[in-house]
Amino acid sequence: MAIATVTLNPAKDRTVFLRKFRPGQVNRAEGEHLAPGGKGINVASFLGDYGVREVYALGLIGEEDMGLFRSAMEARGVGHMFTPLPGRVRENIKLSDLAEMTVTDVNLPGPRWDPSHLEALMGDLKRCPCRVVVISGSLPPGCPEDTVARLVEESKRMGRLTIVDTSGEPLRLALEAVPHGVKPNLAELSEVLRLPEGPEGILQGVRRLREMGIGLVALSLGADGAVLSSPQGTVLVRPPKVTPITTVGAGDAMVAAMALGIHSSMELWETARLACAFSLCAITRIEEPRVEPSAVRDFMDKIRISEVEG
Ligand SMILES: Nc1ncnc2c1ncn2[C@@H]1O[C@H](COP(=O)(O)OP(=O)(O)OP(=O)(O)O)[C@@H](O)[C@H]1O
Ligand SMILES: [Mg+2]
């Protein structure tokens, strides 16, 4: 049985490379790269890169960009069951300053949708032969805030294991539906649970998610790594010091590894190490982020992992 990813608010990520970004002036680009993106799309792509068979990407895709999204999935061996929307997919422009190693984001709005599109997506998800369902990213404007929670409930009713990666009110409502896995970063979780600052806030956040009944919690901490927790225990993974080339997909790569961990019944420590290695692959590639098995293996040895008191 397969892993499915759902992207309700996909995007095209256009990265523009600049030797030095000068705001308010004419900037000449060194190069650019256009990739279909959106969090669930990224998760599916990373699983495809890693050689996982039976991955399906689902989502609401502006039909004028359908070809771009379908061919990107096919190139990575990922199946697709996209639900068409009228118009184009929104575009996220990333201005990459090669001198300062900074990225400036400009996000454009996306197409309009109506409830019938959401029902069509629910139908596609029901038909998809999957066991693990990843629901990732933000909601398109006007989409009911309980949409992720509804997808979790529907999936659970069908006996599927869900992983949620979203933020704000959609995350808070999704947590009430008790997904199997969740991957907030610290800012996202603090906003929803109102955590105290510092290490006790991190541990309290993880503990409260586990007490809600969530089976696999990953609280990501950027360059400081992540805390993962399941009934098997709680671990802290620490990445080696790296220079990120891009910020696109660090969290998504981690979610991809969680989905694989759940799908293949991995031990917690193994999932944690894999999740960290996946994220490092995503942020350190000069070209588009990819999770290559050889790079994952190289990173695995460099990751430090320790048990923490849950
Ligand atoms: N600067 C960094 N150095 C090393 N590892 C990093 C760095 N940034 C991110 N990572 C790795 O990526 C993981 C996820 O990063 P982060 O906590 O930033 O996720 P996120 O905020 O959800 O990202 P996204 O913007 O993709 O949603 C981290 O747990 C860590 O393993
Ligand atoms: Mg994230």
Side-chain angles (χ1 to χ4, degrees):
M1 287 288 260
I3 299 172
T5 75
V6 180
T7 312
L8 294 161
N9 199 17
K12 289 170 285 173
D13 289 322
R14 189 182 296 275
T15 308
V16 179
F17 297 100
L18 304 166
R19 196 180 295 278
K20 174 98 188 72
F21 175 43
R22 294 191 170 81
Q25 295 185 34
V26 175
N27 287 266
R28 219 170 291 283
E30 299 288 307
E32 69 151 354
H33 180 257
L34 177 67
K39 290 188 172 293
I41 298 289
N42 296 343
V43 173
S45 301
F46 291 144
L47 288 168
D49 290 345
Y50 195 61
V52 182
R53 290 294 135 236
E54 287 207 274
V55 180
Y56 288 94
L58 285 80
L60 301 171
I61 303 290
E63 58 197 353
E64 288 174 40
D65 287 313
M66 191 64 92
L68 177 72
F69 278 74
R70 283 187 178 149
S71 52
M73 294 299 96
E74 285 160 15
R76 287 163 121 149
V78 172
H80 46 75
M81 292 177 71
F82 291 133
T83 311
L85 288 186
R88 301 196 78 95
V89 173
R90 75 199 164 97
E91 188 162 314
N92 290 338
I93 301 166
K94 293 180 184 295
L95 302 174
S96 171
D97 183 323
L98 298 170
E100 301 292 327
M101 299 299 282
T102 57
V103 178
T104 306
D105 290 281
V106 182
N107 295 348
L108 306 183
R112 294 298 303 171
W113 64 278
D114 66 53
S116 71
H117 298 114
L118 218 49
E119 292 315 311
L121 181 135
M122 292 272 186
D124 289 336
L125 184 56
K126 276 186 190 147
R127 277 189 293 281
C128 183
C130 58
R131 196 171 78 87
V132 177
V133 179
V134 176
I135 308 151
S136 270
S138 55
L139 300 175
C143 189
E145 299 203 290
D146 66 351
T147 302
V148 177
R150 266 189 68 201
L151 287 166
V152 169
E153 281 159 7
E154 286 287 333
S155 302
K156 282 172 73 174
R157 246 194 296 281
M158 297 185 69
R160 293 158 171 183
L161 300 170
T162 56
I163 305 176
V164 165
D165 178 14
T166 186
S167 59
E169 190 61 5
L171 172 60
R172 199 187 63 75
L173 293 169
L175 294 178
E176 286 179 0
V178 192
H180 183 78
V182 66
K183 198 227 65 70
N185 62 30
L186 188 54
E188 289 161 349
L189 193 63
S190 297
E191 189 199 338
V192 167
L193 297 186
R194 308 211 172 282
L195 299 171
E197 303 252 320
E200 72 273 30
I202 294 171
L203 290 179
Q204 190 196 111
V206 170
R207 192 167 53 241
R208 281 169 63 187
L209 292 175
R210 294 272 302 107
E211 281 166 4
M212 288 176 191
I214 296 168
L216 179 61
V217 171
L219 176 54
S220 68
L221 309 167
D224 291 331
V227 176
L228 278 85
S229 185
S230 83
Q232 294 173 4
T234 302
V235 295
L236 170 68
V237 269
R238 284 205 178 275
K241 202 167 166 39
V242 295
T243 306
I245 304 291
T246 169
T247 53
V248 180
D252 306 332
M254 196 158 249
V255 172
M258 289 170 73
L260 185 55
I262 290 169
H263 190 258
S264 345
S265 310
M266 279 178 203
E267 300 279 326
L268 175 69
W269 64 267
E270 198 184 347
T271 307
R273 209 178 262 281
L274 192 70
C276 191
F278 265 47
S279 65
L280 287 162
C281 290
I283 62 176
T284 52
R285 264 185 60 105
I286 307 224
E287 308 84 31
E288 65 181 317
R290 278 200 183 243
V291 173
E292 284 165 328
S294 60
V296 171
R297 270 195 303 277
D298 289 346
F299 278 126
M300 287 289 230
D301 304 331
K302 303 191 176 87
I303 292 162
R304 283 177 300 149
I305 185 159
S306 56
E307 221 161 314
V308 292
E309 290 290 321

